[in-house]
Structures are given as C-alpha cells and as structure tokens.
Amino acid sequence: MNIIQTLVLAVVQGITEFIPVSSSAHLVLISYWLGWADQGLLFDVALHCGTLIALLLYFRQAVLQCIQEFFSWFTNPRNIPNTLAFKLAVCSIPVMLAGAFGHHAIEQYCRSPQLLAYTTLGFGALLGVALLHRPGTLGYTDLSVKQVLLIGCFQALSLIPGTSRSGITLTACLLLGLPPQAAATFSLLCGIPTLIMASTYELVHAQGVPIEHLNMIFLGMVTSAVVALACIRLFLQWVGRYGLWPFVAYRMVLGLCLFIF
C-alpha cells in the first residue's frame, strides 16, 4: 500500500464507521473500483483502532462511568444488571463468539462485491422497516438484559461486510422502541467493547508484519481517528435534525448501483 491508498481508505473509514452505511463495504468497494489489492482484515482493524480511539475520546465520561461501575460490582453485586458497563459487556458476547468461530470463513468468503450488493440492500431495507416502528420513550439505560442481548445478536451480523455495525444495532434499538437519538447513542457505545475485542484479536495475530506495512497501518489509524472524532458529533446532530431515512435511501441507491456494475 502507498500513502495515497492508505489516506483514502482511512478517511473513508472515519466517515462511514459510525453512520449506518457499512464502513467495511466501502473499504472493499473503493479498492475494487480503483484496482487496488484488497487491503485485508488486518488493515481494516487498524482503521477500526483509530475509530475506537475517537469513540473513547468522545464518550470519555461514559467510559469513566463504566470503569467506576465495574469496581462497584464487588461492593454492590445486586445492582450489576442495571449498570451500563454490564449491558455493554452482555451486548458484546454474541459478536465475540461469532468472530471467534467464524473469523476465517468471513475473511475468505464474505468480501466479494456481489455479496455486498445483497447485504447493502437487505439490511438497508431492514433499517427502513425499523424506522416505521413507532418510537417509544425508553432511554438506552432502561434496556433490560434480554433486550441488550438481542441487540448483541443483531450486532454479530455486522461481521458480514455490507451489514454495518452501527446500522444493525440501530435497527435493533429502533425495533425495541428506542427513539432515534437514544438508539444512535447506544449504537455508538456498543462499538467500544466490540472494537476493543476485534482490534486485540487481530493485533495478537499481526506478528511478522514487515515494518513498512506497520508504517502504513499507523498512518491509517491516526487518520481514521481524527476524521472519526469529527464525524461522531456531526452524525448525532444529523440524527436529531434530519433522522435516518437519508441513510436508508443511500443504501438503496448504492445497492442498486452494485447490481448494475
């Protein structure tokens, strides 16, 4: 990979990671259309490390809250199911299991533009169905453990490129009755433990990577972090003002273009 390819993919990752359009799909498609060799999951996860840094910085108060709640488990175990830290941990279990047992199959068989066409359209339509569901007044702190586990099962589907982790968790939250703003916030928070696990797994298996590749990986990670940090606030403001239907429309157009190409 050269610097231009690295920067382009990092900027795309930073823009698309937190909106429901699938960052992994865009990374695969841009490389495909520009004739670049597939960057592979390792570089994808390095970019996810950058967006993880952005999440930790933006939601630093929630992260500190989760750390405090974790230590409170030992002094007040009865309150564990009500803590945000526990709910985020439960939400991450399904994707952890799916990644552990399906990682190699996904990397080998689920990165084709043909599959992206189906997942872009299918899960985009599902998000549209969820938006038709009448929103309730629940906040994400009111979710039960069973509801959080259901969101986690939806999130496990995000391992398939084109699904969109933020999109599928948004869909689950909307179907459970959360208003769009609360659904978007919880969707972003769910990404913290998920990205930590994915990044850790890939970094453990990254031994032996040539030093020139590590330079490009580091550049991509920093770039995606800077871009993503700016986009998180813009995305939450967009949801509050305009809603999520523009993203559904974008996915429909993108999916149809994929079928045409």
Side-chain angles (χ1 to χ4, degrees), residues 227-249:
V227 176
L229 187 60
C231 288
I232 293 174
R233 183 183 299 273
L234 293 175
F235 172 62
L236 292 175
Q237 291 176 347
W238 176 281
V239 172
R241 293 179 182 177
Y242 307 109
L244 293 165
W245 280 109
F247 299 109
V248 176

Side-chain angles (χ1 to χ4, degrees), residues 1-9 27-39:
M1 297 180 62
N2 55 43
I3 292 179
I4 294 178
Q5 182 179 357
T6 299
L7 291 177
V8 168
L9 295 178
L27 292 177
V28 173
L29 290 173
I30 287 179
S31 295
Y32 180 80
W33 283 337
L34 295 179
W36 292 338
D38 191 297
Q39 66 276 3

Side-chain angles (χ1 to χ4, degrees), residues 208-223:
V209 178
I211 187 63
E212 61 269 18
H213 292 181
L214 291 178
N215 291 337
M216 291 298 101
I217 287 174
F218 180 76
L219 175 62
M221 182 176 64
V222 172
T223 304

Side-chain angles (χ1 to χ4, degrees), residues 37-45 107 111:
D38 191 297
Q39 66 276 3
L41 283 182
L42 176 60
F43 185 74
D44 289 355
V45 172
E107 184 172 9
R111 295 176 68 82

